[in-house]
Amino acid sequence: MNLDHLENDVICRENTVLSSVLGVCLIFKERVVFRNMVIGKVNFYESFFKKGLLVSNCVVGDVIFESAGHNDEPIVFENTVFTGDLNFFDAYFTHDIVIKNCLFIKPNSILEDIAYPYGVEKKEYMKLDVK
């Protein structure tokens, strides 16, 4: 699923299986939601989420979130299983980043990548409940 032409729209996908989601170098001006999905690969390299992002009750493979974030509303990953590689290097969050009840199958550096002061603008923006 290529999101290039949807960066000005509310994006809400539910109950779907997708091999990939591609949204590179975009500024999403409306909320982006993925709920109850299986997604093979997500690439949001250098994309900004002005109205936030919700990934809920999903199974997600590889994730590229490098140099992304810059959100005016929360970015939330909840009740999601990550089965592949995660790349959050140089991501920067200017509002809440919430990771709640997620399972990470492969070792990753997400906690280091989003640590204060390099990954979040304010320490209180990190809202993590990881297992």
Side-chain angles (χ1 to χ4, degrees):
M1 176 181 189
N2 190 329
L3 303 178
D4 284 353
H5 61 286
L6 299 173
E7 68 181 317
N8 293 315
D9 300 334
V10 172
I11 299 169
C12 184
R13 291 295 303 253
E14 298 180 310
N15 307 314
T16 308
V17 176
L18 296 173
S19 60
S20 66
V21 173
L22 180 64
V24 174
C25 297
L26 298 174
I27 299 174
F28 293 101
K29 294 174 182 73
E30 297 297 333
R31 188 163 169 83
V32 177
V33 175
F34 296 103
R35 187 179 286 120
N36 304 323
M37 297 187 60
V38 175
I39 306 171
K41 182 175 183 175
V42 175
N43 187 344
F44 284 132
Y45 177 78
E46 284 192 1
S47 288
F48 301 167
F49 296 86
K50 299 318 252 175
K51 295 293 184 179
L53 167 69
L54 172 65
V55 177
S56 180
N57 300 316
C58 294
V59 176
V60 181
D62 296 330
V63 176
I64 298 172
F65 211 83
E66 184 176 349
S67 301
H70 301 270
N71 49 315
D72 295 337
E73 298 290 332
I75 290 179
V76 178
F77 298 97
E78 66 181 10
N79 306 318
T80 292
V81 177
F82 294 95
T83 63
D85 295 318
L86 301 180
N87 179 354
F88 276 70
F89 178 75
D90 203 31
Y92 193 71
F93 301 95
T94 52
H95 201 287
D96 293 346
I97 170 70
V98 179
I99 301 174
K100 182 178 177 183
N101 296 324
C102 292
L103 177 63
F104 301 92
I105 302 299
K106 293 180 83 173
N108 64 76
S109 62
I110 190 170
L111 295 179
E112 292 85 15
D113 290 344
I114 65 173
Y116 176 80
Y118 304 108
V120 292
E121 188 171 78
K122 296 181 181 176
K123 193 171 189 173
E124 60 268 19
Y125 289 166
M126 286 181 49
K127 299 183 180 351
L128 307 178
D129 179 13
V130 295
K131 308 285 187 250

